Amino acid sequence: MSSLRIAEIFASVQGEGAWVGVPSTFVRVSGCNLRCVWCDTPYASWNPEGPMMSVEEIVAKVAMHGIDHVVLTGGEPMLFDAIEPLASSLKTCGHTITVETAGTVFRELPCDLMSISPKLANSAPGEESGWRERHDSLRLNLTTLQALVDRYEYQLKFVVNPESGGDIEEIEALLAGLSGVQAARVLLMPEGTDSETLHRRAKMLVPTVMERNWRLTQRLHIDLFGNTKGT
């Protein structure tokens, strides 16, 4: 039986990206191949938690919410083989599916929006974590990113701290290594877990997106609920 370790399943509005504000059921898979220093869901990455659930159990719990849009997130949901039958079962049930991924793993699965968040150098944890070298070796794979962009409806969502500098140049270099990326599908999202920080950094990013025809995305769930689980 296909199963996944699930940190949480909850209903809320999508807080990020092109579909911000859309009522959604979130299925957060535990387990990740990266260890971002600013990760706001450490219970699905640094310290994975949650029970093992069969695909059938997950689909049944999603159905209880009665919402069309389902977000498969993590952690890194694309790491796990069982994400394929889960996505197939959800699509058979008529759901619209977003997959949130760092873009380090390619899979064929039903997906209406592949929300790809390539991790920049600003994501690297400190040496003391024991993860820095492994994280940096895995966080970017241009071949995989290109395959995802070519195969799926996508957005490229970058977590940016404009107060530290260097992120925009890194994004431009990454995009130069990919082909066929539409500017309107490049989204900048300020890094932060409180509204004051997010608003300040978002304002700083406005000239950048205006100059490049990129997009700015907020973190609506932080504004509405704070940095809390189940939102």
Side-chain angles (χ1 to χ4, degrees), residues 55-227:
V55 166
E56 292 79 6
E57 289 172 325
I58 298 167
V59 171
K61 191 158 186 179
V62 167
M64 292 172 61
H65 292 287
I67 294 173
D68 168 64
H69 183 223
V70 178
V71 181
L72 302 179
T73 187
E76 176 51 79
M78 296 283 272
L79 277 179
F80 305 101
D81 291 344
I83 204 69
E84 296 179 24
L86 175 58
S88 295
S89 295
L90 291 168
K91 181 55 67 176
T92 297
C93 293
H95 290 288
T96 301
I97 299 172
T98 290
V99 176
E100 296 186 337
T101 177
T104 62
V105 180
F106 180 86
R107 288 183 182 274
E108 287 279 354
L109 76 174
C111 176
D112 299 283
L113 177 64
M114 188 64 70
S115 181
I116 311 165
S117 183
K119 298 302 180 278
L120 304 176
N122 67 27
S123 67
E127 294 283 358
E128 71 282 357
S129 70
W131 267 90
R132 187 179 185 92
E133 184 176 348
R134 181 177 177 186
H135 176 93
D136 274 339
S137 70
L138 294 174
R139 66 180 175 82
L140 282 182
N141 185 322
L142 287 181
T143 300
T144 300
L145 288 175
Q146 187 68 65
L148 292 168
V149 165
D150 290 343
R151 171 64 179 83
Y152 294 102
E153 288 293 315
Y154 69 92
Q155 60 186 13
L156 287 169
K157 184 178 66 178
F158 295 94
V159 177
V160 175
N161 179 359
E163 295 176 325
S164 65
D167 290 349
I168 303 307
E169 293 78 7
E170 188 178 352
I171 292 169
E172 290 181 320
L174 187 156
L175 294 175
L178 300 173
S179 62
V181 173
Q182 302 171 33
R185 293 179 183 264
V186 178
L187 285 70
L188 301 189
M189 184 172 71
E191 188 271 318
T193 54
D194 65 88
S195 292
E196 181 181 353
T197 300
L198 291 171
H199 292 174
R200 182 179 70 252
R201 291 175 176 175
K203 287 181 181 179
M204 295 174 67
L205 290 171
V206 170
T208 300
V209 299
M210 295 291 287
E211 291 168 5
R212 295 162 176 80
N213 285 314
W214 294 351
R215 294 179 62 177
L216 180 65
T217 180
Q218 57 193 357
R219 305 194 73 205
L220 179 63
H221 54 298
I222 300 293
D223 275 342
L224 296 179
F225 310 113
N227 185 29

Side-chain angles (χ1 to χ4, degrees), residues 2-46:
S2 296
S3 61
L4 290 159
R5 190 174 190 183
I6 300 298
E8 55 184 347
I9 298 175
F10 62 93
S12 186
V13 291
Q14 172 61 283
E16 304 172 356
W19 290 359
V20 66
V22 174
S24 308
T25 301
F26 292 79
V27 178
R28 189 177 305 284
V29 179
S30 263
C32 191
N33 56 343
L34 304 178
R35 293 295 185 273
C36 298
V37 66
W38 37 250
C39 179
D40 60 357
T41 55
Y43 54 93
S45 59
W46 284 93

